Amino acid sequence: MTTVRQVQVTFDCADPGRVARFWCEVLGYELHSSGVACSDPTGVGPRLYFQQVPEGKVVKNRVHLDVRVGTGLVGEERLAALEAECARLEKLGAVRGQLLLADEENESCQNMQDIEGNEFCLD
């Protein structure tokens, strides 16, 4: 029998406090007193931890977060939900990337970057 373990997602970054505050706003998480970690107040989502590193981001992330804002929505309704969330996140400093439109296998999603250039998707 396998034991289920908790997962923490760790971000390397230049300014941990700034990036932590950004992701708390994106996800509705609570900032820890340390100022460099945040958690889902419902206890369902993983803890996020932000650690300072000397080097800057060089290449595309090998792992990224999908922020699920369009679950169960299709077509124009899904596109409207993605657009509304994208606009909200741009006000927080996120950068809009490519909009990938639905095909035979996947629903539409919006690529984005956080305030330090880490890729994520609105899904």
Side-chain angles (χ1 to χ4, degrees):
M1 179 173 214
T2 304
T3 302
V4 176
R5 292 177 171 72
Q6 290 185 338
V7 174
Q8 171 176 282
V9 178
T10 301
F11 289 70
D12 291 348
C13 50
D15 187 344
R18 180 173 177 245
V19 180
R21 289 187 302 276
F22 171 84
W23 280 104
C24 283
E25 284 292 323
V26 170
L27 300 174
Y29 273 30
E30 295 175 343
L31 187 65
H32 285 221
S33 59
S34 67
V36 296
C38 53
S39 295
D40 179 352
T42 68
V44 175
R47 180 179 191 257
L48 304 181
Y49 178 74
F50 305 88
Q51 65 184 6
Q52 187 173 22
V53 296
E55 68 277 357
K57 183 175 178 313
V58 179
V59 296
K60 183 179 183 289
N61 301 4
R62 295 281 311 248
V63 175
H64 68 268
L65 299 181
D66 285 346
V67 180
R68 309 289 313 272
V69 299
T71 303
L73 303 176
V74 296
E76 293 300 318
E77 190 177 19
R78 183 179 179 90
L79 290 172
L82 295 175
E83 177 57 34
E85 185 65 1
C86 184
R88 182 183 82 86
L89 299 183
E90 284 180 310
K91 291 177 184 174
L92 298 175
V95 175
R96 182 187 301 252
Q98 183 179 8
L99 173 64
L100 302 172
L101 295 174
D103 58 26
E104 295 79 32
E105 296 179 29
N106 301 297
E107 288 297 335
S108 299
C109 70
Q110 174 69 56
N111 291 334
M112 300 197 73
Q113 292 181 354
D114 74 8
I115 57 176
E116 285 200 2
N118 298 302
E119 296 88 5
F120 68 99
C121 292
L122 298 180
D123 179 21

